[in-house]
Amino acid sequence: MSLKSIIAAASGESADAELLSVVAELAARFGAHVRVAPAFNDPAGNLVFYGAALGQGTPDMLARVNASMHQTLEKLQSLARDVAAQHQLAPSALVVETRALQPRDAVASAAVLADLVAFNGAAARSPALADLFAETLIGMRAPCFIANGGAYAFGATAIAWDGSAQAGRAVRTALPLLQSAARVVVLQNADDGGLDPDAAALDPLNDYLSRQSVMNVTTRVVRGANVAASLLGGAREEQCELLVAGAYGRPRLYELALGGTTRSLVHAENAPHLLLVH
């Protein structure tokens, strides 16, 4: 697994600064090419739709909205240039894509061959991009990096291990990050009622990580009926910058009934960066 092609889904908000800073760190470390995809909705399109539905023409308003959209894109392009310069990247390594007529379709199409699709945490939780994030993670099954903050120094990294296929895919996807981490902590919740003891055995995972040259690995058992809270608590106590986890490893009805570990991780306050794979 390599990290050479990264999509950054830009929200058009101030949170894009944190997102681009993190993906620039990844690009600098792994020689990746980052495509910044403007993923925000087109308010002009909404005005046309609702104006037509109401039988109202709003040419002046459309002009103002279009001007605002162009201004947002120019700010994003300027931000990308500044971030690339700060991280000593060639301008071609961090490129803002031309905004597509249907930005969400463009992100979905680009995700097919992306090693990673990155969202800012606040944006992924927002009504504007929550559906796109969910579709990218679950529908496209693209690995998703949630940037919670603007710094990433490849420090301690946690793995939430339950032995599921999703957790295995997350570990394989995260290998470049795990190999670059200062240390790796494998977290497992002993009170997780859905845990299969045989599948979740730690020795096979530790053997796999060793063969992949992932060094300085320790394991830690956490407790608590709230799986997400216990994992986040363990990651915080270990001062982990990143938590790697499988996403929606159980049937969706089970997740909906119990609240969902994945949903809780994404919506948690003061969470580390997340790498989620379905």
Side-chain angles (χ1 to χ4, degrees), residues 75-122:
K75 287 182 179 179
L76 183 60
Q77 291 165 344
S78 176
L79 174 64
R81 289 192 295 269
D82 290 346
V83 170
Q86 291 165 8
H87 290 81
Q88 299 182 331
L89 296 172
S92 59
L94 187 65
V95 176
V96 178
E97 299 282 286
T98 301
R99 187 183 177 282
L101 185 61
Q102 297 293 334
R104 294 173 183 235
D105 292 344
V107 172
S109 177
V112 172
L113 290 176
D115 296 319
L116 211 59
V117 181
F119 293 82
N120 174 268

Side-chain angles (χ1 to χ4, degrees), residues 15-28:
D16 287 338
E18 293 183 347
L19 173 65
L20 295 195
S21 179
V22 170
V23 296
E25 292 283 358
L26 297 175

Side-chain angles (χ1 to χ4, degrees), residues 10-13 38-47 61-77 96-101 103:
S11 65
E13 304 292 340
F40 36 90
N41 287 327
D42 183 358
N46 292 337
L47 282 175
M61 188 175 293
L62 282 173
R64 290 196 297 271
V65 168
N66 279 325
S68 176
M69 177 65 68
H70 286 301
Q71 186 178 44
T72 300
L73 286 171
E74 288 173 357
K75 287 182 179 179
L76 183 60
Q77 291 165 344
V96 178
E97 299 282 286
T98 301
R99 187 183 177 282
L101 185 61

Side-chain angles (χ1 to χ4, degrees), residues 119-130:
F119 293 82
N120 174 268
R125 295 185 288 270
S126 71
L129 290 190

